[in-house]
Amino acid sequence: MQKKRRLRSFNISLATTAVIIILWSTVTSLKLISPVLLPSPLRVGQTFINLCLVGYNGTLLYQHYLITLGRLLVAVVLAIVIGIPLGLLSGYVPTVKAVVDPIVQFIRPIPPLAYYTLLILWLGIGETSKVTLLFLAALPPIYLACFDAVVKINREYIRGASSLGADQRQIFFHVVFPAALPDVFTGVRSAVGVAYTTIVSAEMFAASAGIGWMIVDASHYLKSDVMFVGIIVLGVTGVVLDWMIKLVENRVVHWRGKF
């Protein structure tokens, strides 16, 4: 039954995509909108091939893509390595919360562009400032998801483990962490999404390569076909990354819903 539902959902998604492309082709073929504003699917496809073979600004599309993906992955990995322990410990140890929580809560509502120029001033125009911007965007969602996951754990499990002789370390690794892991994955998915939406901002200033930079640079010259290629590549990659995280989650967190 579940397999049939997944197949049905996939077919619906496929049909929806087909309808969007058909409508897009119809609008552009009837010239209801200027090609400068909305290029046809055929033109976008031709531009994609051209970017793959010739490149943009002397750099092939896959190189722009790998540069962007590398920045994103480094930032997200750093956010995971730092954010998960801080979030879990903040929910478990009040002293850690008192130190870390105000800092994260201060960073969380600030739009990335508000402090990006400051990061450039401090860290220069190289990769460090870009990765730091993405890291600061990805850290709060992971931290908050981990913190909330620990706070909402059923205390009966902790008391039960303690009554059986488990110390604080054993309780943390054998009760708290497994119970929080489903929400940890949710936080990772949110962090990837937030960092992903920030990538264009990170590549907007002082960059000469990357999908986000390519989109911004193409907008200066009204190259909407290049912009569409970049946007579609980012969108498809975002969907694939989220699917991969969910796949890992389904394999790792086999106890979901049991706490």
Side-chain angles (χ1 to χ4, degrees):
M1 180 64 69
Q2 188 175 7
K3 188 175 181 180
K4 289 183 179 179
R5 288 179 180 175
R6 289 179 179 176
L7 182 60
R8 183 172 179 271
S9 297
F10 175 77
N11 290 333
I12 292 175
S13 299
L14 199 62
T16 302
T17 304
V19 169
I20 292 173
I21 294 175
I22 291 171
L23 289 175
W24 180 10
S25 300
T26 303
V27 169
T28 53
S29 63
L30 295 176
K31 298 183 179 180
L32 299 177
I33 300 177
S34 171
V36 176
L37 301 178
L38 183 65
S40 67
L42 179 60
R43 182 181 172 188
V44 172
Q46 292 172 340
T47 301
F48 173 78
I49 295 173
N50 184 63
L51 290 174
C52 290
L53 298 177
V54 180
Y56 186 85
N57 195 37
T59 304
L60 296 177
L61 181 62
Y62 86 90
Q63 294 173 316
H64 284 292
Y65 179 76
L66 291 179
I67 290 171
T68 293
L69 199 62
R71 290 165 177 162
L72 178 72
L73 292 180
V74 170
V76 170
V77 168
L78 287 174
I80 290 173
V81 171
I82 296 175
I84 291 178
L86 287 181
L88 295 177
L89 289 173
S90 293
Y92 193 61
V93 182
T95 304
V96 177
K97 176 190 174 184
V99 174
V100 177
D101 197 65
I103 300 174
V104 177
Q105 294 296 346
F106 176 79
I107 296 173
R108 183 174 61 87
I110 302 176
L113 278 178
Y115 51 77
Y116 188 31
T117 52
L118 190 60
L119 290 176
I120 292 176
L121 181 64
W122 286 348
L123 304 174
I125 62 175
E127 293 299 308
T128 305
S129 59
K130 298 174 180 59
V131 172
T132 302
L133 178 70
L134 297 176
F135 165 76
L136 292 176
L139 180 64
I142 294 179
Y143 170 86
L144 292 174
C146 295
F147 176 82
D148 291 339
V150 175
V151 170
K152 72 180 184 181
I153 292 175
N154 190 336
R155 297 296 155 178
E156 292 297 326
Y157 294 116
I158 296 177
R159 284 192 285 267
S162 180
S163 67
L164 292 174
D167 56 28
Q168 293 297 316
R169 181 178 178 277
Q170 290 172 322
I171 292 174
F172 181 81
F173 284 104
H174 295 284
V175 178
V176 174
F177 183 68
L181 200 53
D183 290 312
V184 170
F185 273 97
T186 301
V188 171
R189 290 176 62 191
S190 299
V192 170
V194 173
Y196 210 68
T197 58
T198 312
I199 192 66
V200 175
S201 300
E203 296 179 345
M204 184 179 296
F205 301 107
S208 59
I211 297 294
W213 171 83
M214 187 180 74
I215 294 172
V216 174
D217 188 76
S219 69
H220 297 157
Y221 305 100
L222 298 179
K223 297 179 179 179
S224 57
D225 51 344
V226 176
M227 295 171 62
F228 266 77
V229 170
I231 291 169
I232 292 172
V233 168
L234 287 179
V236 171
T237 302
V239 172
V240 172
L241 286 175
D242 190 69
W243 173 78
M244 290 174 63
I245 294 173
K246 288 192 291 185
L247 185 64
V248 174
E249 179 184 5
N250 291 334
R251 291 183 178 275
V252 173
V253 192
H254 52 80
W255 58 86
R256 172 183 283 275
K258 298 181 180 180
F259 284 89

